[in-house]
Amino acid sequence: MNPEFSERVALELLQEKDLAAVMHIEKCCYSFPWSQGVFADCLRSGYDLLGAWDNSRLLGYAVLRQVLDEIHLLNLCVAPHCRGQGVARILLRSLMQGARENGAVVVSLEVRASNVAARALYRSEGFMDIALRPDYYPDARGREDGHIMECHL
Ligand SMILES: CC(C)(COP(=O)(O)OP(=O)(O)OC[C@H]1O[C@@H](n2cnc3c(N)ncnc32)[C@H](O)[C@@H]1OP(=O)(O)O)[C@@H](O)C(=O)NCCC(=O)NCCS
């Protein structure tokens, strides 16, 4: 992690007005991106969208939903040119801290089997593989397995 860069990163809950910046990142990061309508529905349904900013530039975001004492992490994404500098780790640590403060006891997520970077990040923050969902995700050649990961807080 680059300390000078990470000190500049500010975290803030995102709103509808931020969704154009979210979509700019989402579209260049995923083969099957969410639509702006999906993000808007998340906001309307009370999910949290946590954004990482460098001044007025959105670097990345996380989407999470709390149900009772469980948090589900639905999306975590960092703009390609900002990767490898600790932004995802900052987002993940912050949302896990927030989860603890809100009384959550577990965070869960699904991740593509081929997503080496994300799986390494989650493992390094204490997540464990708890189940495999065969052919869970569409991919360019057909389907791809998903790993369900969990971290007890
Ligand atoms: C996965 C992703 C969020 C990581 O973002 P990032 O800001 O580059 O990650 P960080 O710089 O915080 O790195 C944290 C850890 O992730 C792992 N990691 C990150 N990039 C990696 C890579 N290219 N290869 C292997 N491990 C990697 C490492 O364990 C790293 O820790 P280290 O720097 O101490 O080695 C980013 O690559 C991304 O947005 N990918 C596209 C969207 C996506 O797949 N999201 C996950 C959906 S489940």
Side-chain angles (χ1 to χ4, degrees):
M1 196 183 291
N2 171 348
E4 277 176 27
F5 178 77
S6 62
E7 276 168 21
R8 291 210 310 264
V9 175
L11 300 179
E12 206 172 84
L13 287 176
L14 301 178
Q15 305 167 23
E16 190 110 21
K17 68 177 172 51
D18 303 312
L19 292 186
V22 167
M23 285 310 297
H24 184 70
I25 297 176
E26 176 80 10
K27 280 187 195 156
C28 63
C29 290
Y30 290 112
S31 314
F32 300 89
W34 289 7
S35 67
Q36 185 158 334
V38 169
F39 283 100
D41 281 346
C42 286
L43 283 173
R44 276 192 287 274
S45 307
Y47 296 13
D48 282 336
L49 271 66
L50 182 63
W53 298 87
D54 180 6
N55 291 312
S56 59
R57 188 171 59 124
L58 185 66
L59 309 172
Y61 49 86
V63 181
L64 55 145
R65 173 182 52 169
Q66 179 158 5
V67 179
L68 302 174
D69 58 1
E70 294 186 17
I71 299 273
H72 191 60
L73 177 58
L74 293 103
N75 197 340
L76 174 67
C77 192
V78 172
H81 59 283
C82 306
R83 289 186 189 161
Q85 300 182 83
V87 175
R89 199 184 291 288
I90 290 170
L91 280 163
L92 189 57
R93 286 188 178 172
S94 170
L95 73 86
M96 289 173 74
Q97 182 58 34
R100 277 187 205 96
E101 288 165 7
N102 285 336
V105 297
V106 65
V107 180
S108 64
L109 57 88
E110 288 106 27
V111 57
R112 285 176 183 270
S114 63
N115 197 338
V116 174
R119 292 177 65 197
L121 164 67
Y122 298 136
R123 274 196 298 267
S124 73
E125 291 293 326
F127 284 78
M128 311 245 292
D129 287 325
I130 58 151
L132 185 72
R133 287 198 167 141
D135 297 333
Y136 185 62
Y137 292 102
D139 74 7
R141 289 162 304 159
R143 308 289 303 178
E144 173 176 8
D145 294 347
H147 287 271
I148 302 177
M149 301 184 82
E150 236 180 44
C151 179
H152 288 265
L153 297 169

